[in-house]
Coordinates of all heavy atoms in Angstrom, one line a residue:
M3 N 75.9 16.8 44.3 CA 77.0 16.8 43.4 C 76.9 18.2 42.6 O 75.9 18.6 42.2 CB 76.8 15.7 42.4 CG 77.8 15.7 41.2 SD 77.5 14.4 40.1 CE 78.5 13.1 40.9
T4 N 78.1 18.7 42.4 CA 78.2 20.0 41.7 C 78.6 19.7 40.2 O 79.5 18.9 40.0 CB 79.2 20.9 42.3 OG1 78.8 21.1 43.7 CG2 79.3 22.2 41.6
D5 N 77.9 20.3 39.3 CA 78.3 20.0 37.9 C 79.4 21.0 37.5 O 79.9 21.8 38.2 CB 77.0 20.1 37.0 CG 76.4 21.5 36.9 OD1 77.1 22.5 37.3 OD2 75.3 21.6 36.5
H6 N 79.8 20.9 36.2 CA 80.9 21.7 35.7 C 80.5 23.2 35.6 O 81.4 24.0 35.4 CB 81.4 21.1 34.4 CG 80.4 21.1 33.3 ND1 79.5 20.1 33.2 CD2 80.2 21.9 32.3 CE1 78.8 20.3 32.1 NE2 79.2 21.4 31.5
W7 N 79.2 23.5 35.8 CA 78.8 24.9 35.8 C 78.7 25.4 37.3 O 78.3 26.5 37.5 CB 77.5 25.1 35.2 CG 77.6 25.0 33.7 CD1 78.2 25.8 32.8 CD2 77.0 24.0 32.9 NE1 78.1 25.4 31.5 CE2 77.3 24.3 31.5 CE3 76.2 22.9 33.1 CZ2 76.9 23.5 30.5 CZ3 75.7 22.1 32.1 CH2 76.1 22.4 30.8
G8 N 79.1 24.6 38.2 CA 79.0 25.0 39.6 C 77.6 24.9 40.3 O 77.4 25.3 41.4
R9 N 76.7 24.2 39.6 CA 75.3 24.1 40.1 C 75.2 22.7 40.7 O 75.8 21.7 40.3 CB 74.3 24.2 39.0 CG 74.2 25.6 38.4 CD 73.2 25.7 37.3 NE 73.8 24.9 36.2 CZ 73.1 24.1 35.4 NH1 71.8 24.0 35.5 NH2 73.6 23.5 34.4
E10 N 74.4 22.6 41.8 CA 74.1 21.4 42.4 C 72.7 20.8 41.9 O 71.8 21.6 41.7 CB 74.1 21.5 43.9 CG 75.4 21.7 44.5 CD 75.4 21.6 46.0 OE1 74.4 21.6 46.6 OE2 76.5 21.6 46.5
H11 N 72.6 19.5 41.8 CA 71.4 18.9 41.5 C 71.0 18.0 42.7 O 71.8 17.3 43.2 CB 71.5 18.0 40.2 CG 71.8 18.8 39.0 ND1 70.9 19.5 38.3 CD2 73.0 19.0 38.3 CE1 71.5 20.1 37.3 NE2 72.8 19.8 37.3
M12 N 69.7 18.0 43.0 CA 69.2 17.2 44.1 C 68.6 15.9 43.6 O 67.8 16.0 42.6 CB 68.2 18.0 44.9 CG 68.7 19.2 45.6 SD 70.0 18.9 46.8 CE 69.1 17.9 48.0
D13 N 69.0 14.8 44.2 CA 68.3 13.6 43.9 C 67.1 13.6 44.9 O 67.2 13.5 46.1 CB 69.2 12.4 44.3 CG 68.5 11.0 44.0 OD1 67.3 11.0 43.8 OD2 69.2 10.0 44.1
E14 N 65.9 13.7 44.3 CA 64.7 13.9 45.1 C 64.3 12.7 45.9 O 63.6 12.8 46.9 CB 63.5 14.3 44.2 CG 63.8 15.6 43.5 CD 62.8 15.9 42.3 OE1 61.9 15.1 42.1 OE2 63.0 16.9 41.7
S15 N 64.9 11.6 45.6 CA 64.5 10.4 46.4 C 65.1 10.3 47.8 O 64.6 9.9 48.7 CB 64.9 9.1 45.6 OG 66.3 9.0 45.4
D16 N 66.4 10.8 47.9 CA 67.1 10.7 49.2 C 67.7 12.0 49.6 O 68.4 12.1 50.6 CB 68.1 9.6 49.2 CG 69.2 9.8 48.1 OD1 69.2 10.9 47.5 OD2 70.0 8.9 48.0
G17 N 67.5 13.1 48.9 CA 68.0 14.4 49.3 C 69.5 14.6 48.9 O 70.0 15.7 49.2
H18 N 70.2 13.7 48.4 CA 71.6 13.9 48.0 C 71.7 14.5 46.6 O 70.8 14.3 45.8 CB 72.3 12.5 48.0 CG 72.5 11.9 49.3 ND1 71.6 11.0 49.9 CD2 73.4 12.1 50.3 CE1 71.9 10.7 51.1 NE2 73.0 11.3 51.4
T19 N 72.7 15.3 46.4 CA 72.9 15.9 45.1 C 73.3 14.8 44.1 O 74.1 13.9 44.4 CB 74.0 17.0 45.2 OG1 75.2 16.4 45.7 CG2 73.5 18.1 46.1
D20 N 72.8 15.0 42.9 CA 73.1 14.0 41.9 C 72.7 14.6 40.5 O 71.9 15.6 40.5 CB 72.4 12.7 42.1 CG 73.0 11.5 41.4 OD1 74.0 11.7 40.7 OD2 72.5 10.4 41.5
R21 N 73.1 14.1 39.5 CA 72.7 14.5 38.1 C 71.4 14.0 37.8 O 71.0 12.8 38.2 CB 73.8 14.1 37.1 CG 75.1 14.8 37.3 CD 75.9 14.9 36.1 NE 77.0 15.7 36.5 CZ 77.9 16.1 35.6 NH1 77.8 15.8 34.4 NH2 78.9 16.9 36.0
L22 N 70.6 14.7 37.0 CA 69.3 14.3 36.6 C 69.5 13.3 35.4 O 70.4 13.4 34.6 CB 68.5 15.5 36.0 CG 68.2 16.6 37.0 CD1 67.5 17.8 36.3 CD2 67.2 16.1 38.1
P23 N 68.6 12.3 35.4 CA 68.7 11.3 34.3 C 68.3 12.0 33.0 O 67.5 13.0 33.0 CB 67.7 10.2 34.6 CG 67.0 10.6 35.9 CD 67.6 11.9 36.4
L24 N 68.8 11.6 31.8 CA 68.6 12.2 30.6 C 67.1 12.3 30.2 O 66.6 13.3 29.7 CB 69.3 11.5 29.4 CG 70.8 11.5 29.5 CD1 71.4 10.8 28.3 CD2 71.3 12.9 29.6
A25 N 66.3 11.2 30.6 CA 64.9 11.3 30.3 C 64.2 12.4 31.0 O 63.3 13.0 30.5 CB 64.2 9.9 30.6
E26 N 64.6 12.6 32.3 CA 64.0 13.7 33.1 C 64.4 15.0 32.5 O 63.6 16.0 32.5 CB 64.4 13.5 34.5 CG 63.7 14.6 35.4 CD 63.9 14.4 36.9 OE1 64.4 13.3 37.3 OE2 63.6 15.3 37.7
I27 N 65.6 15.1 32.1 CA 66.1 16.4 31.5 C 65.3 16.7 30.3 O 64.8 17.8 30.1 CB 67.6 16.3 31.2 CG1 68.4 16.3 32.5 CG2 68.0 17.5 30.3 CD1 69.9 16.0 32.2
A28 N 65.1 15.7 29.4 CA 64.3 15.9 28.2 C 62.9 16.3 28.5 O 62.4 17.2 27.9 CB 64.3 14.6 27.4
A29 N 62.3 15.7 29.5 CA 60.9 16.1 29.9 C 60.8 17.5 30.4 O 59.9 18.3 30.0 CB 60.3 15.1 30.9
R30 N 61.7 17.8 31.3 CA 61.7 19.2 31.8 C 62.0 20.2 30.8 O 61.4 21.3 30.8 CB 62.7 19.3 33.0 CG 62.3 18.6 34.2 CD 63.3 18.8 35.3 NE 62.9 18.1 36.6 CZ 63.6 18.3 37.7 NH1 64.5 19.2 37.8 NH2 63.2 17.7 38.8
A31 N 63.0 19.9 29.9 CA 63.4 20.9 28.9 C 62.2 21.1 27.9 O 61.9 22.2 27.5 CB 64.6 20.4 28.1
S32 N 61.5 20.0 27.6 CA 60.3 20.1 26.7 C 59.3 21.1 27.4 O 58.7 22.0 26.7 CB 59.7 18.7 26.5 OG 58.5 18.8 25.8
A33 N 59.0 20.9 28.6 CA 58.1 21.7 29.3 C 58.6 23.2 29.4 O 57.8 24.1 29.1 CB 57.8 21.2 30.7
D34 N 59.8 23.4 29.7 CA 60.4 24.7 29.8 C 60.3 25.4 28.4 O 60.2 26.7 28.4 CB 61.9 24.7 30.2 CG 62.1 24.4 31.7 OD1 61.1 24.4 32.4 OD2 63.2 24.1 32.0
A35 N 60.4 24.7 27.3 CA 60.4 25.3 26.0 C 59.0 25.3 25.4 O 58.8 25.4 24.2 CB 61.3 24.5 25.1
G36 N 58.0 25.3 26.3 CA 56.6 25.4 25.8 C 56.0 24.2 25.2 O 55.1 24.3 24.4
G37 N 56.6 23.1 25.5 CA 56.0 21.8 25.0 C 56.6 21.3 23.7 O 56.1 20.4 23.0
V38 N 57.8 21.9 23.3 CA 58.5 21.3 22.2 C 58.8 19.9 22.4 O 59.3 19.5 23.5 CB 59.8 22.1 21.9 CG1 60.6 21.5 20.8 CG2 59.6 23.6 21.7
P39 N 58.4 19.0 21.5 CA 58.6 17.5 21.8 C 60.0 17.2 22.1 O 61.0 17.6 21.5 CB 58.1 16.9 20.5 CG 57.2 17.8 19.9 CD 57.7 19.2 20.2
A40 N 60.2 16.3 23.1 CA 61.5 15.9 23.6 C 62.2 15.1 22.6 O 63.4 14.9 22.7 CB 61.3 15.1 24.9
Q41 N 61.5 14.6 21.5 CA 62.2 13.8 20.5 C 63.3 14.6 19.8 O 64.3 14.0 19.3 CB 61.2 13.4 19.4 CG 60.8 14.5 18.4 CD 59.9 14.1 17.4 OE1 58.9 13.4 17.6 NE2 60.1 14.5 16.1
W42 N 63.2 16.0 19.9 CA 64.3 16.8 19.3 C 65.5 16.8 20.1 O 66.5 17.5 19.7 CB 63.7 18.2 18.9 CG 62.6 18.1 18.0 CD1 61.3 18.4 18.3 CD2 62.6 17.6 16.7 NE1 60.5 18.1 17.2 CE2 61.2 17.6 16.2 CE3 63.6 17.2 15.8 CZ2 60.9 17.2 14.9 CZ3 63.2 16.8 14.5 CH2 61.9 16.8 14.1
L43 N 65.5 16.1 21.2 CA 66.7 16.0 22.1 C 67.4 14.7 22.0 O 68.4 14.4 22.7 CB 66.3 16.4 23.6 CG 65.8 17.8 23.8 CD1 65.3 17.9 25.2 CD2 67.0 18.8 23.6
R44 N 66.8 13.8 21.3 CA 67.2 12.4 21.2 C 68.7 12.2 21.0 O 69.4 11.5 21.7 CB 66.4 11.6 20.2 CG 66.7 10.2 20.0 CD 65.9 9.5 18.9 NE 65.5 10.5 17.9 CZ 64.3 10.6 17.4 NH1 63.3 9.9 17.8 NH2 64.1 11.5 16.4
D45 N 69.2 12.9 20.0 CA 70.7 12.8 19.7 C 71.5 13.9 20.4 O 72.7 13.7 20.7 CB 70.9 13.0 18.2 CG 70.4 11.8 17.4 OD1 70.4 10.7 17.9 OD2 70.0 12.1 16.2
Y46 N 70.8 15.0 20.8 CA 71.5 16.1 21.5 C 72.0 15.7 22.9 O 73.1 16.0 23.2 CB 70.6 17.3 21.5 CG 71.3 18.5 22.2 CD1 72.3 19.2 21.5 CD2 70.9 18.9 23.4 CE1 72.9 20.3 22.2 CE2 71.5 20.0 24.0 CZ 72.5 20.7 23.4 OH 73.1 21.7 24.0
L47 N 71.1 15.1 23.7 CA 71.5 14.9 25.1 C 72.7 13.9 25.2 O 73.6 14.2 26.0 CB 70.3 14.4 25.9 CG 69.2 15.5 26.2 CD1 68.0 14.9 26.9 CD2 69.9 16.5 27.1
P48 N 72.7 12.8 24.5 CA 73.9 12.0 24.7 C 75.2 12.7 24.2 O 76.3 12.6 24.8 CB 73.7 10.8 23.7 CG 72.2 10.7 23.6 CD 71.7 12.2 23.7
L49 N 75.1 13.5 23.2 CA 76.2 14.3 22.7 C 76.6 15.3 23.8 O 77.8 15.5 24.1 CB 75.9 15.1 21.4 CG 76.9 16.0 20.9 CD1 78.2 15.3 20.5 CD2 76.4 16.8 19.7
L50 N 75.7 16.0 24.4 CA 75.9 17.0 25.4 C 76.6 16.3 26.6 O 77.6 16.8 27.2 CB 74.6 17.6 25.9 CG 74.7 18.6 27.1 CD1 75.6 19.8 26.7 CD2 73.3 19.0 27.5
A51 N 76.1 15.1 27.0 CA 76.7 14.3 28.1 C 78.2 14.0 27.8 O 79.1 14.1 28.6 CB 75.9 13.1 28.4
D52 N 78.4 13.5 26.6 CA 79.8 13.1 26.2 C 80.7 14.3 26.2 O 81.8 14.2 26.7 CB 79.8 12.5 24.8 CG 81.1 12.0 24.3 OD1 81.7 11.2 25.1 OD2 81.6 12.5 23.3
V53 N 80.3 15.4 25.6 CA 81.1 16.6 25.6 C 81.4 17.1 27.0 O 82.5 17.5 27.4 CB 80.4 17.7 24.7 CG1 81.1 19.1 24.9 CG2 80.5 17.3 23.3
S54 N 80.4 17.1 27.9 CA 80.5 17.5 29.2 C 81.5 16.6 30.0 O 82.3 17.1 30.8 CB 79.2 17.5 30.0 OG 78.3 18.4 29.4
Q55 N 81.5 15.3 29.8 CA 82.3 14.4 30.5 C 83.7 14.3 30.0 O 84.7 14.2 30.8 CB 81.7 13.0 30.5 CG 80.4 12.9 31.3 CD 79.7 11.6 31.0 OE1 80.1 10.8 30.2 NE2 78.6 11.4 31.7
T56 N 83.9 14.5 28.7 CA 85.2 14.3 28.1 C 85.9 15.6 27.8 O 87.2 15.7 27.8 CB 85.2 13.5 26.8 OG1 84.5 14.3 25.8 CG2 84.5 12.2 27.0
G57 N 85.2 16.7 27.6 CA 85.7 18.0 27.3 C 86.1 18.0 25.8 O 86.6 19.1 25.3
R58 N 85.9 17.0 25.1 CA 86.2 16.9 23.6 C 85.1 17.6 22.8 O 83.9 17.5 23.2 CB 86.4 15.5 23.1 CG 87.6 14.9 23.6 CD 87.9 13.5 22.9 NE 86.7 12.6 23.1 CZ 86.7 11.6 23.9 NH1 87.7 11.3 24.6 NH2 85.6 10.8 24.0
R59 N 85.4 18.2 21.8 CA 84.5 18.8 20.9 C 83.7 17.7 20.1 O 84.3 16.6 19.8 CB 85.1 19.8 19.9 CG 85.7 21.0 20.6 CD 86.3 21.9 19.6 NE 86.8 23.1 20.3 CZ 87.1 24.2 19.7 NH1 87.1 24.3 18.4 NH2 87.5 25.2 20.4
P60 N 82.5 18.0 19.6 CA 81.8 17.0 18.8 C 82.6 16.7 17.5 O 83.2 17.7 16.9 CB 80.5 17.7 18.5 CG 80.3 18.7 19.5 CD 81.7 19.2 19.9
D61 N 82.6 15.5 17.1 CA 83.3 15.1 15.8 C 82.4 15.4 14.6 O 81.2 15.9 14.8 CB 83.7 13.7 15.8 CG 82.6 12.7 15.9 OD1 81.4 13.0 15.7 OD2 82.9 11.5 16.3
A62 N 82.9 15.2 13.4 CA 82.1 15.6 12.2 C 80.8 14.8 12.1 O 79.8 15.3 11.7 CB 83.0 15.3 11.0
A63 N 80.8 13.5 12.5 CA 79.6 12.7 12.5 C 78.5 13.2 13.4 O 77.4 13.3 13.1 CB 80.0 11.2 12.8
A64 N 78.9 13.6 14.6 CA 78.0 14.2 15.6 C 77.4 15.5 15.1 O 76.2 15.7 15.2 CB 78.6 14.4 16.9
L65 N 78.2 16.3 14.5 CA 77.7 17.6 13.9 C 76.8 17.4 12.8 O 75.8 18.1 12.6 CB 78.9 18.5 13.5 CG 79.8 19.0 14.7 CD1 81.0 19.8 14.1 CD2 79.0 19.8 15.6
S66 N 77.1 16.4 12.0 CA 76.2 16.0 10.9 C 74.9 15.5 11.4 O 73.8 15.9 10.8 CB 76.9 14.9 10.0 OG 76.0 14.5 9.0
R67 N 74.8 14.7 12.5 CA 73.6 14.3 13.1 C 72.8 15.5 13.6 O 71.5 15.5 13.4 CB 73.8 13.3 14.2 CG 74.2 11.9 13.7 CD 74.1 10.9 14.8 NE 75.0 11.3 16.0 CZ 76.3 11.0 16.1 NH1 76.9 10.4 15.1 NH2 76.9 11.4 17.2
M68 N 73.5 16.5 14.1 CA 72.8 17.7 14.6 C 72.1 18.5 13.4 O 71.0 18.9 13.5 CB 73.7 18.6 15.4 CG 74.2 18.0 16.7 SD 72.9 17.5 17.9 CE 72.9 15.7 17.6
R69 N 72.9 18.6 12.3 CA 72.4 19.2 11.1 C 71.2 18.5 10.6 O 70.1 19.1 10.2 CB 73.4 19.3 10.0 CG 74.3 20.6 10.1 CD 75.2 20.7 8.9 NE 76.1 19.7 8.7 CZ 77.3 19.6 9.4 NH1 77.6 20.6 10.3 NH2 78.1 18.6 9.2
E70 N 71.3 17.1 10.5 CA 70.1 16.3 10.0 C 68.9 16.5 10.9 O 67.8 16.5 10.4 CB 70.6 14.8 10.0 CG 71.6 14.5 8.9 CD 72.2 13.1 9.0 OE1 71.7 12.4 9.9 OE2 73.1 12.9 8.2
C71 N 69.1 16.6 12.2 CA 68.0 16.8 13.1 C 67.3 18.1 12.8 O 66.1 18.2 12.8 CB 68.5 16.7 14.6 SG 67.2 17.0 15.8
G72 N 68.1 19.2 12.6 CA 67.6 20.5 12.3 C 66.8 20.5 11.0 O 65.8 21.1 10.9
E73 N 67.4 19.8 10.0 CA 66.7 19.7 8.7 C 65.4 19.0 8.9 O 64.4 19.4 8.3 CB 67.6 19.0 7.7 CG 68.8 19.9 7.3 CD 69.8 19.1 6.5 OE1 69.6 17.9 6.3 OE2 70.9 19.7 6.2
S74 N 65.4 17.9 9.7 CA 64.2 17.1 9.9 C 63.1 18.0 10.6 O 61.9 17.9 10.3 CB 64.5 15.9 10.7 OG 63.3 15.1 10.9
A75 N 63.5 18.7 11.6 CA 62.6 19.6 12.3 C 62.0 20.6 11.4 O 60.8 20.9 11.4 CB 63.3 20.3 13.5
A76 N 62.8 21.2 10.5 CA 62.3 22.2 9.6 C 61.3 21.6 8.6 O 60.3 22.2 8.4 CB 63.5 22.8 8.8
R77 N 61.6 20.3 8.2 CA 60.6 19.7 7.3 C 59.3 19.4 8.0 O 58.2 19.4 7.4 CB 61.2 18.3 6.8 CG 62.2 18.5 5.6 CD 62.5 17.1 5.0 NE 63.1 16.2 5.9 CZ 64.4 16.1 6.2 NH1 65.2 16.9 5.7 NH2 64.8 15.2 7.1
D78 N 59.4 19.2 9.3 CA 58.2 18.9 10.1 C 57.5 20.2 10.6 O 56.5 20.2 11.3 CB 58.5 18.1 11.3 CG 58.8 16.6 11.0 OD1 58.6 16.2 9.8 OD2 59.3 15.9 11.9
G79 N 58.1 21.3 10.2 CA 57.4 22.6 10.5 C 57.8 23.1 11.9 O 57.1 24.0 12.4
V80 N 58.8 22.6 12.5 CA 59.2 23.0 13.9 C 60.1 24.3 13.7 O 61.1 24.2 13.0 CB 60.0 21.9 14.6 CG1 60.4 22.4 16.0 CG2 59.1 20.7 14.8
P81 N 59.8 25.4 14.3 CA 60.6 26.6 14.1 C 62.0 26.4 14.7 O 62.1 25.7 15.7 CB 59.8 27.7 14.8 CG 58.5 27.2 15.0 CD 58.6 25.7 15.0
L82 N 63.0 27.0 14.1 CA 64.3 27.0 14.6 C 64.4 27.5 16.0 O 65.1 26.9 16.9 CB 65.3 27.8 13.7 CG 66.7 27.9 14.1 CD1 67.4 26.5 14.2 CD2 67.5 28.8 13.2
R83 N 63.6 28.5 16.3 CA 63.6 29.1 17.7 C 63.2 28.0 18.7 O 63.7 27.9 19.8 CB 62.7 30.3 17.7 CG 62.6 30.9 19.1 CD 61.6 32.1 19.1 NE 61.6 32.6 20.4 CZ 62.1 33.7 20.8 NH1 62.7 34.5 19.9 NH2 62.0 34.2 22.0
A84 N 62.3 27.1 18.3 CA 61.8 26.1 19.2 C 62.9 25.1 19.5 O 63.1 24.6 20.6 CB 60.5 25.4 18.7
I85 N 63.6 24.7 18.5 CA 64.7 23.7 18.6 C 65.8 24.4 19.5 O 66.3 23.7 20.4 CB 65.3 23.3 17.3 CG1 64.3 22.6 16.4 CG2 66.6 22.5 17.4 CD1 63.7 21.3 17.1
I86 N 66.1 25.6 19.3 CA 67.1 26.3 20.1 C 66.6 26.4 21.6 O 67.4 26.1 22.5 CB 67.4 27.7 19.6 CG1 68.1 27.6 18.2 CG2 68.2 28.5 20.6 CD1 68.3 28.9 17.5
D87 N 65.3 26.7 21.8 CA 64.8 26.8 23.1 C 64.9 25.5 23.9 O 65.3 25.5 25.0 CB 63.3 27.3 23.1 CG 63.2 28.7 22.9 OD1 64.2 29.5 22.9 OD2 62.0 29.1 22.6
V88 N 64.5 24.4 23.2 CA 64.5 23.1 23.9 C 65.9 22.7 24.2 O 66.2 22.1 25.3 CB 63.7 22.1 23.2 CG1 64.4 21.5 22.0 CG2 63.3 20.9 24.2
R89 N 66.8 23.0 23.3 CA 68.2 22.5 23.5 C 68.9 23.4 24.6 O 69.7 22.9 25.4 CB 69.0 22.5 22.3 CG 68.6 21.4 21.4 CD 69.4 21.2 20.2 NE 68.9 20.0 19.5 CZ 69.5 19.6 18.4 NH1 70.5 20.3 17.8 NH2 69.0 18.5 17.8
L90 N 68.6 24.7 24.6 CA 69.2 25.5 25.7 C 68.6 25.1 27.0 O 69.4 25.1 28.0 CB 68.9 27.0 25.4 CG 69.7 27.7 24.3 CD1 69.2 29.1 24.0 CD2 71.2 27.7 24.7
S91 N 67.3 24.8 27.1 CA 66.8 24.4 28.4 C 67.4 23.1 28.8 O 67.7 22.9 30.0 CB 65.2 24.1 28.2 OG 64.6 25.4 28.0
A92 N 67.6 22.1 27.9 CA 68.3 20.9 28.3 C 69.7 21.1 28.7 O 70.1 20.5 29.7 CB 68.3 19.9 27.0
T93 N 70.4 22.0 28.0 CA 71.8 22.3 28.4 C 71.8 22.9 29.9 O 72.7 22.5 30.7 CB 72.4 23.3 27.4 OG1 72.4 22.6 26.1 CG2 73.9 23.6 27.8
W94 N 70.9 23.8 30.1 CA 70.9 24.4 31.5 C 70.6 23.3 32.5 O 71.2 23.3 33.6 CB 69.8 25.5 31.5 CG 69.7 26.1 32.8 CD1 68.6 26.0 33.6 CD2 70.6 27.0 33.5 NE1 68.9 26.7 34.8 CE2 70.1 27.3 34.7 CE3 71.9 27.4 33.2 CZ2 70.8 28.1 35.6 CZ3 72.6 28.2 34.1 CH2 72.0 28.5 35.3
L95 N 69.7 22.4 32.2 CA 69.3 21.4 33.2 C 70.3 20.3 33.4 O 70.4 19.8 34.5 CB 68.0 20.8 32.8 CG 66.7 21.6 32.9 CD1 65.6 21.0 32.1 CD2 66.3 21.9 34.3
A96 N 71.1 20.1 32.4 CA 72.1 19.1 32.5 C 73.2 19.5 33.4 O 73.8 18.8 34.1 CB 72.7 18.8 31.1

């Protein structure tokens, strides 16, 4: 299957192209971003999937959740760069 970026994903079980499950995207993005915990993708991945499938922009509530996540990460001492890295990795993998 080709995604909206023109990339194909392989379903490793049978060799057919398919999208990766969100849990696998989170795990791979975490590893790609140097081990940033996948918990920081909890709200982002469903939002990314929705935006990708519908083409609609995130609404005010979704943007507020993203801000709250960033604020929570900052309180926990997670650098902004780490959050950006893990989200960019997840976006690329999705």
Side-chain angles (χ1 to χ4, degrees):
M3 171 182 277
T4 302
D5 64 17
H6 59 280
W7 288 295
R9 293 176 291 142
E10 290 190 349
H11 295 284
M12 295 297 295
D13 180 349
E14 296 167 3
S15 62
D16 62 6
H18 292 93
T19 58
D20 202 0
R21 294 202 174 188
L22 297 172
L24 295 183
E26 186 174 345
I27 291 170
R30 287 186 183 189
S32 174
D34 286 350
V38 175
Q41 78 180 40
W42 301 112
L43 295 170
R44 179 180 32 226
D45 291 330
Y46 179 73
L47 284 176
L49 175 62
L50 178 64
D52 182 59
V53 168
S54 295
Q55 292 169 356
T56 65
R58 288 189 304 254
R59 293 180 177 196
D61 61 17
L65 294 175
S66 179
R67 284 192 306 275
M68 294 302 103
R69 272 190 296 280
E70 289 169 6
C71 179
E73 291 169 1
S74 179
R77 281 192 301 274
D78 288 352
V80 179
L82 178 59
R83 180 181 178 108
I85 297 299
I86 292 169
D87 283 347
V88 76
R89 289 186 176 181
L90 285 174
S91 292
T93 302
W94 177 251
L95 290 165

